Amino acid sequence: AGPAPDPTWRAARVPGTVHTDLLADSVIPDPFDGTNESDLQWIGRRDWEYATTFGIPSFVFRHRHFELQFDGLDTYADVRLNGQPVLRADNMFRTWTVDVTKLVQQGRNRLDIVFHSPIPREDSTAAAFPYRLPAGNDPHGTRVFTRKAAYHYGWDWGPRFVTAGVWRPAFVRAWTGVVLRDLFVQQRTLDDTLATLTAHVTVQADTTMDGTLVVRGTHHAFPKVERSVHLVPGENHVAIDFSIPDPRRWWPNGLGPHPLYTVIADVRAGMARDTLGRRIGLRTLEVVNRPDSIGRSFYVKVNGVPVFMKGANYIPQDHFTPRVDSARYAALFRDVVGSHMNMLRVWGGGIYERDLFYDLADENGILVWQDFMFANGMYPVTPSFLANVRVEAEQQVKRLRNHPSLALWCGNNEIREGWENWGWQRAMGYSPADSAAVWAGYVKLFDELLPAVVDSLDPGVFYHESSPTIGWGHAASMDTDDSHYWGVWWGGQPFDTLRTLLPRFMSEFGFQAYPPLATIASFTGPGDREVGSTVMAAHQKNAMGDSTIRAYMARWFDPPQSFDRFVYLSQVLQAEGLKIAFEAQRRAMPRTMGTLYWQLDDTWPVVSWSGRDYYGRWKALQYYVRRAFAPLLVSPALEHDSVRVYVVSDRLTPVQGTLTVRTLTFDGRELYTTTSPVTLPADTSIVALSVPLAEALGRHATGGTAGAGGRDAAAEADSSDVVLVAELTTPADTTRDLLYFARPKHQRLPDPQITTQVQRDGDDLVITVAAKNLARDVHLWFEGVEGRMSDDFFDLLPGESRVVRFTPAAPLTTVPRLGVETLRGRSPQ
């Protein structure tokens, strides 16, 4: 590809983007390195031409029809085949199919695509529009005029690279007589003995004919149903009822298996034949969103069981999405499952993900909250815009509706909140008439068009107009629908507010941390590695990001004395802060029935809210998530003048266990202990033990009190070297949690006196780490070696040891040097 009309042609890859093609041909440096982003903005302002030739084998020409299909063109594209215009595309999210029967030829065919930069088009369209429109993080304020991924224009965690290219597969389809256009398997009823379903089959015929339509499956219990059909030219819609005896239910991760059935439709008419298959899962799913004694509920019920949703907000895994291969998708879902998640929210500023994403969600029991791709702005709801979006929405709903993982559709991200709370109308200088017109467009799009598409094409699936319904600055946001709580971070409120501000469903909240040092090394030189350096600032997209991290860090820790220490403490800060929220929200069930933190992943190496960075490296947060999302959670909490120990279960059957609660000094002296049996009902949260704070602290406490969710200064000083240990032992496993009575900066942390041993076990390294005294947030790494620790950022009690397995990314010839860091500092090894 080359910049039109530059005659220099360069190699291109499809699917791909112009940026990655230029990078592969060494025309540009790595866009993610250093400050290269600012030097590469010219790419998004140019037009680009792609061209290729392709042959069609002569035997294919026995077919009567040829179609050229693009699964994704980014974005404004003029397509010519053999010199003739065939398509003008204007939506990144649509599939484009054109009849090219009269244009294809035996021998070589030439395909040309000119991608026009959206920037001048958006600027001119915006200038002609009767009023300005809010456009979120786009500094030009024009991205809302183009149906393109919003994050391409920059976000507070991502760069601005306005891409172009054939970003999803393109191919030629040849057919004669009949072709199957769609197969929708609609579940009508489901019980333990029988599932009744209807296969809605769309058959296109090129002439009037009689034929046979067969619906069958690959499972041994699947019946074969055959029907005679009379087809007329054009699309024919045929519904065939069938049933599956002894159905196996699909369950979310952690609650049961995720069996899938393959349904196949075969159509035969004379010599013509076509086949189309889809995978389905059998389950009932309801989003319960109705008025109750608190306000309005918001929770997911699967197979009749209310399920607490544990997960994260998902953004694209790369700014240049075509280079995310199947291995990266598989690794991401391994981490999601391994972190005990059961839901991901596909955020509305990114993309409708590729089929593989939803296939993996089906296979792993991960429910998907699916946003339509609208975020943080108001859109120009003209007749042509609405018509374009209608096709987009219809295509995406049809594509995704067979997936058992699909839990709900949401119209947009934060647009209602932005309109009501962010001062958009004042910032845009709207008159009352302007405001009425813009809001009327919102209603047409999000209250009329999108829910109508969902209802007509996937009836019964829940549609949520906007996430959240009410902004975090309003008390009602805790009582109604889902909440994006940003009082922590944006509001500067302390982490302790997360103990008591408990929404019905927390669909966004978070806190930033720096990525691991190995990731920082990927885009910096040694001289760049300090907070606020030019390069680090280029990879910190939130204007208040570093100052906010510093402010919160000062509340929790002594000032870091090095950049490496700052990175470590930022991760511990993020993890400890969100741990407060995870546990409080799980303790609060059934009032609160979901927690989706912002954010799971990154689009490039950056300082962000993610728990899992661009390279898939885990921050401290991801290890904390895995513990906080475990099916059984024991969670001690300081409430008023008592310690209350909660036990939370996601399991569908009761659990019998033994609860042991101890209070220890940091050097191992026991101040308090109690043991009691616990019967934990299914799918619930209970208080298993309540003990007065003074009793829990033993005679070590000499005064002071703590308010609800807070920390009195005297109480902190009197308990600065004490930890409470709550441990639940069941026949299957043991889970524990620790409660500290002071923040780390007020604790008298002793030298943990850590010792380590490292042994080989095949390709893995096995580390035994022990501490004589309390060791907080033990972080392990092997210098210069990539890999994954089985556990990290954990606390060791006095006299305790733990075995950690390290799996290197590549076989090791020698044992590398082990690094160890704790809240006390680095431990020499």
Side-chain angles (χ1 to χ4, degrees):
D6 186 344
T8 303
W9 288 94
R10 306 183 186 278
R13 182 175 181 176
V14 172
T17 72
V18 66
H19 290 77
T20 49
D21 289 335
L22 294 173
L23 175 63
D25 206 40
S26 302
V27 177
I28 62 171
D30 185 346
F32 293 172
D33 191 29
T35 59
N36 288 341
E37 175 194 359
S38 61
D39 297 330
L40 299 178
Q41 293 306 302
W42 60 271
I43 300 172
R45 292 192 290 267
R46 292 198 184 183
D47 294 349
W48 297 90
E49 184 175 359
Y50 281 67
T52 190
T53 60
F54 62 92
I56 301 176
S58 58
F59 70 85
V60 178
F61 280 87
R62 71 176 186 270
H63 286 291
R64 294 199 294 263
H65 306 282
F66 290 84
E67 297 169 348
L68 178 61
Q69 180 166 316
F70 298 96
D71 286 346
L73 293 171
D74 179 14
T75 293
Y76 295 111
D78 289 327
V79 182
R80 300 171 70 89
L81 179 62
N82 294 327
Q84 299 300 311
V86 295
L87 172 64
R88 175 162 287 181
D90 61 356
N91 188 325
M92 176 181 177
F93 305 122
R94 283 176 56 178
T95 294
W96 302 90
T97 304
V98 291
D99 188 329
V100 293
T101 304
K102 295 181 179 180
L103 293 178
V104 293
Q105 55 195 29
Q106 296 193 40
R108 307 307 294 171
N109 293 268
R110 180 179 173 94
L111 181 66
D112 294 271
I113 308 173
V114 176
F115 290 97
H116 302 283
S117 169
I119 296 173
R121 182 181 300 234
E122 291 160 352
D123 291 343
S124 61
T125 304
F129 210 66
Y131 26 72
R132 294 167 59 214
L133 292 174
N137 289 67
D138 177 18
H140 301 275
T142 57
R143 64 154 173 91
V144 293
F145 290 90
T146 296
R147 292 307 297 143
K148 177 175 171 62
Y151 80 100
H152 286 170
Y153 296 82
W155 219 265
D156 59 0
W157 38 257
R160 178 183 171 95
F161 290 116
V162 181
T163 59
V166 185
W167 76 290
R168 281 190 168 156
F171 55 90
V172 173
R173 177 190 294 110
W175 64 279
T176 298
V178 295
V179 61
L180 288 171
R181 295 298 189 189
D182 190 44
L183 170 59
F184 171 39
V185 183
Q186 184 179 19
Q187 180 183 291
R188 302 195 316 276
T189 65
L190 175 65
D191 59 34
D192 292 340
T193 60
L194 191 71
T196 63
L197 306 101
T198 300
H200 299 273
V201 187
T202 301
V203 187
Q204 184 169 347
D206 62 6
T207 187
T208 301
M209 63 184 79
D210 293 321
T212 301
L213 183 62
V214 175
V215 174
R216 57 187 174 86
T218 56
H219 188 262
H220 69 275
F222 207 113
K224 177 180 177 181
V225 181
E226 185 173 316
R227 175 178 296 180
S228 297
V229 291
H230 179 71
L231 303 174
V232 298
E235 288 193 349
N236 299 261
H237 302 280
V238 183
I240 296 181
D241 294 336
F242 65 100
S243 61
I244 300 176
D246 301 318
R248 298 175 298 151
R249 291 178 185 259
W250 186 95
W251 288 95
N253 180 41
L255 296 184
H258 333 295
L260 299 172
Y261 293 82
T262 300
V263 181
I264 300 170
D266 290 308
V267 63
R268 300 177 186 178
M271 297 297 293
R273 176 179 179 177
D274 199 15
T275 299
L276 186 61
R278 294 288 184 264
R279 288 198 310 177
I280 65 168
L282 302 175
R283 88 289 189 271
T284 63
L285 188 147
E286 177 188 6
V287 177
V288 182
N289 182 218
R290 62 172 71 106
D292 60 13
S293 60
I294 301 171
R296 190 164 57 237
S297 66
F298 197 101
Y299 66 93
V300 179
K301 185 184 288 187
V302 182
N303 295 322
V305 178
V307 180
F308 190 99
M309 293 291 104
K310 302 175 297 186
N313 287 261
Y314 168 87
I315 62 176
Q317 295 175 65
D318 198 308
H319 194 92
F320 309 115
T321 54
R323 65 181 180 183
V324 183
D325 60 18
S326 58
R328 284 176 66 181
Y329 278 99
L332 180 132
F333 272 91
R334 281 196 301 271
D335 289 351
V336 167
V337 171
S339 299
H340 304 295
M341 295 183 183
N342 56 23
M343 175 174 271
L344 294 178
R345 175 182 175 227
V346 178
W347 171 71
I351 60 173
Y352 304 98
E353 265 295 342
R354 58 186 280 194
D355 291 342
L356 176 61
F357 177 92
Y358 303 96
D359 289 341
L360 289 169
D362 293 344
E363 293 166 10
N364 289 285
I366 305 301
L367 289 168
V368 175
W369 168 318
Q370 178 67 55
D371 281 4
F372 284 100
M373 291 301 115
F374 298 92
N376 300 64
M378 301 298 282
Y379 291 80
V381 185
T382 62
S384 61
F385 185 89
L386 285 174
N388 195 354
V389 169
R390 180 180 293 278
V391 176
E392 168 194 324
E394 289 174 344
Q395 288 182 349
Q396 297 299 337
V397 172
K398 286 181 178 180
R399 181 172 71 95
L400 301 182
R401 61 187 175 180
N402 285 302
H403 290 279
S405 56
L406 183 69
L408 65 98
W409 284 94
C410 181
N412 66 74
N413 176 75
E414 295 185 342
I415 297 180
R416 174 180 279 274
E417 177 174 2
W419 180 259
E420 295 179 348
N421 300 310
W422 294 352
W424 283 353
Q425 300 168 65
R426 182 177 62 256
M428 298 295 107
Y430 287 165
S431 68
D434 292 339
S435 293
V438 174
W439 184 249
Y442 176 97
V443 171
K444 284 183 181 178
L445 179 54
F446 298 113
D447 290 342
E448 297 174 9
L449 188 152
L450 293 178
V453 169
V454 172
D455 185 62
S456 64
L457 297 178
D458 199 4
V461 172
F462 183 77
Y463 173 82
H464 188 39
E465 173 212 312
S466 182
S467 179
T469 304
I470 302 173
W472 61 264
H474 302 273
S477 68
M478 294 292 114
D479 301 331
T480 300
D481 298 345
D482 70 312
S483 176
H484 293 195
Y485 180 68
W486 287 105
V488 169
W489 184 264
W490 290 109
Q493 296 173 6
F495 287 129
D496 282 337
T497 61
L498 296 168
R499 302 180 196 275
T500 53
L501 291 178
L502 299 167
R504 311 309 301 275
F505 191 111
M506 187 73 94
S507 51
E508 261 198 40
F509 69 107
F511 196 88
Q512 275 197 354
Y514 273 54
L517 290 168
T519 294
I520 292 172
S522 74
F523 62 84
T524 62
D528 303 319
R529 293 165 197 163
E530 61 180 75
V531 179
S533 73
T534 301
V535 171
M536 288 306 306
H539 291 254
Q540 165 56 285
K541 292 300 184 180
N542 187 270
M544 55 178 274
D546 288 342
S547 62
T548 301
I549 294 172
R550 285 188 185 276
Y552 277 82
M553 192 179 288
R555 302 175 193 175
W556 278 67
F557 307 116
D558 291 329
Q561 300 304 308
S562 68
F563 178 75
D564 289 7
R565 184 68 173 170
F566 182 91
V567 171
Y568 166 80
L569 289 180
S570 79
Q571 291 195 23
V572 175
L573 180 70
Q574 177 194 41
E576 289 282 351
L578 296 195
K579 174 181 184 286
I580 292 172
F582 296 145
E583 294 192 11
Q585 290 158 21
R586 291 193 68 189
R587 292 194 303 259
M589 67 181 297
R591 174 195 169 89
T592 302
M593 285 299 290
T595 180
L596 307 178
Y597 64 90
W598 186 270
Q599 64 212 57
L600 175 65
D601 58 313
D602 287 323
T603 66
W604 73 319
V606 66
V607 182
S608 83
W609 294 262
S610 70
R612 182 184 186 275
D613 79 4
Y614 172 73
Y615 295 105
R617 299 181 177 118
W618 283 24
K619 299 179 185 177
L621 174 60
Q622 204 62 40
Y623 291 97
Y624 272 58
V625 165
R626 186 169 64 187
R627 297 175 202 129
F629 285 0
L632 291 181
L633 173 71
V634 58
S635 176
L638 183 59
E639 297 179 356
H640 302 286
D641 294 326
S642 296
V643 174
R644 306 180 82 190
V645 180
Y646 291 78
V647 183
V648 184
S649 175
D650 292 336
R651 301 198 187 281
L652 300 184
T653 56
V655 174
Q656 301 284 340
T658 300
L659 176 65
T660 302
V661 177
R662 298 179 292 153
T663 306
L664 306 173
T665 61
F666 290 173
D667 60 4
R669 289 186 297 114
E670 189 172 276
L671 304 176
Y672 170 85
T673 184
T674 183
T675 300
S676 57
V678 173
T679 299
L680 184 59
D683 193 26
T684 193
S685 169
I686 66 169
V687 177
L689 176 70
S690 182
V691 59
L693 175 61
E695 181 181 345
L697 293 177
R699 287 189 296 206
H700 187 73
T702 58
T705 59
R711 297 289 186 273
D712 181 272
E716 289 207 356
D718 294 334
S719 53
S720 58
D721 63 351
V722 176
V723 59
L724 182 141
V725 183
E727 192 168 74
L728 178 68
T729 302
T730 71
D733 51 26
T734 296
T735 182
R736 86 173 185 196
D737 196 12
L738 307 182
L739 174 64
Y740 294 97
F741 300 95
R743 292 175 182 169
K745 70 180 297 180
H746 299 307
Q747 291 179 339
R748 295 194 295 269
L749 290 172
D751 180 355
Q753 298 185 38
I754 286 179
T755 58
T756 60
Q757 290 183 337
V758 180
Q759 295 179 316
R760 283 184 174 274
D761 184 10
D763 289 334
D764 290 357
L765 298 177
V766 177
I767 309 160
T768 302
V769 55
K772 180 180 179 181
N773 299 312
L774 176 80
R776 290 201 62 181
D777 280 287
V778 178
H779 172 41
L780 306 171
W781 70 95
F782 284 106
E783 294 186 358
V785 177
E786 192 68 34
R788 174 73 57 81
M789 294 288 178
S790 63
D791 199 8
D792 205 2
F793 293 95
F794 51 82
D795 292 358
L796 286 176
L797 296 175
E800 186 176 45
S801 65
R802 183 170 303 192
V803 176
V804 177
R805 179 174 292 270
F806 176 76
T807 302
L812 301 173
T813 55
T814 60
V815 176
R817 184 172 183 269
L818 177 67
V820 182
E821 187 161 11
T822 72
L823 282 189
R824 177 67 188 268
R826 290 204 174 184
S827 297
Q829 299 300 313

